[in-house]
């Protein structure tokens, strides 16, 4: 069964707590937390303080996506009782193995993400060490972009590698996910589906979460 991780990047920030609670109550498996620094990506979103405020609310666990340079400097800031995954970008980490170990040593599941122009092959030596691989299906930086179909082949490759090497990492997709393309991505072997604008842009947010969950079942 696929899991849904609504991205609060597309939420109404003035009603963030309420919206995070309502998607969680409707069945969201994670709250996807998109952190952008204006350097690794051409946009600034929010930092750990915003995420920590959500700790006071009844939400699903956090799936933190760090689209930032030098992520090692900030890992500790994003650890809360609700943080399940912290994912960094392969393109932002010179010493990726060390960064992954740093996250795991904090007792948090570690993920690595690749941009649309980055091949799966760069992850060859880290597959054994990661808990999650996030395939970007848009260029990171903004919500509401169009799905780049090349992501599907990457997910297939990862799914195959996972079987061949008997590994346990989960595969996540992020960017341009809609009710229309979810099934094709699921067939490729994806486990966690990030959806921003297609959840928070819906007229009835809770119904949209439920519609996704039916498709992912
Ligand atoms: C893009 C972010 C995504 C984004 C997805 O840089 O990492 O998580 O919020 O938004 P949609 O689903 O609108 O493409
Ligand atoms: Zn994201």
């Amino acid at each position: 069964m696929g899991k849904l991780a609504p991205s609060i990047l597309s939420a109404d920030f003035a009603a963030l707590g309420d919206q995070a609670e309502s998607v969680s109550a409707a069945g969201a498996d994670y709250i996807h937390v998109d952190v952008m620094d204006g350097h690794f990506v051409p946009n600034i979103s929010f930092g750990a303080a915003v995420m920590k405020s959500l700790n006071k609310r009844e939400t699903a666990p956090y799936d933190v996506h760090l689209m930032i340079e030098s992520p090692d400097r900030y890992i500790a800031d994003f650890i809360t009782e609700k943080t399940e995954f912290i994912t960094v970008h392969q393109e932002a980490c010179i010493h990726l193995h060390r960064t992954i170990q740093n996250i795991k040593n904090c007792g948090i599941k570690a993920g690595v993400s690749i941009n649309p122009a980055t091949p799966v092959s760069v992850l060859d030596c880290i597959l054994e060490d990661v808990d999650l691989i996030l395939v970007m299906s848009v260029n990171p930086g903004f919500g509401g972009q169009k799905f780049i179909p090349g992501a599907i082949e990457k997910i297939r490759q990862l799914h195959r590698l996972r079987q061949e090497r008997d590994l346990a990492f989960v595969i996540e997709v992020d960017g341009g996910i809609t009710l229309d393309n979810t099934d094709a991505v699921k067939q490729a072997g994806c486990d966690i589906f990030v959806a921003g604008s297609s959840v928070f842009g819906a007229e009835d947010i809770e119904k949209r979460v439920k519609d996704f969950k039916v498709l992912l079942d």
Side-chain angles (χ1 to χ4, degrees), residues 35-62:
V35 181
M36 303 179 179
D37 66 353
H39 291 275
F40 179 69
V41 289
N43 194 12
I44 297 173
S45 58
F46 48 77
V50 169
M51 190 190 77
K52 283 178 181 163
S53 296
L54 288 180
N55 276 348
K56 299 177 207 126
R57 311 295 289 257
E58 296 276 313
T59 76
Y62 306 144

Side-chain angles (χ1 to χ4, degrees), residues 7 9-10 32 34 36 41 65 67 136 138-145 174-177 194-198:
S7 165
L9 183 65
S10 295
H32 185 79
D34 280 314
M36 303 179 179
V41 289
H65 179 192
M67 288 163 277
M136 288 306 302
V138 297
N139 286 294
F142 304 93
Q145 302 181 79
D174 185 3
I177 290 296
V194 177
S197 50
S198 56

Side-chain angles (χ1 to χ4, degrees), residues 89 91 114-119 134-156 172-178 180-182 184-185 188 190 194:
H89 267 262
E91 303 86 355
I114 50 171
N115 283 335
T118 304
L134 169 52
V135 176
M136 288 306 302
S137 42
V138 297
N139 286 294
F142 304 93
Q145 302 181 79
K146 200 167 171 294
F147 182 81
I148 298 171
I152 292 186
E153 184 48 35
K154 288 189 192 177
I155 291 166
R156 262 191 223 116
E172 181 174 43
V173 69
D174 185 3
I177 290 296
T178 64
D180 293 334
N181 58 24
T182 290
V185 180
C190 191
V194 177

Side-chain angles (χ1 to χ4, degrees), residues 88-91 93-104 110-114 118-134 158 161 165 167-170:
V88 296
H89 267 262
Q90 184 274 337
E91 303 86 355
C93 297
I94 297 170
H95 302 291
L96 179 61
H97 185 274
R98 178 182 290 147
T99 304
I100 293 296
Q101 299 311 322
N102 285 344
I103 297 170
K104 289 167 78 166
V112 61
S113 180
I114 50 171
T118 304
V120 166
S121 54
V122 300
L123 300 176
D124 192 57
C125 298
I126 200 81
L127 291 177
E128 267 82 4
D129 297 284
V130 294
D131 299 296
L132 176 148
I133 295 177
L134 169 52
L158 285 165
L161 284 165
R165 299 198 200 171
L167 296 172
F169 60 79
V170 293

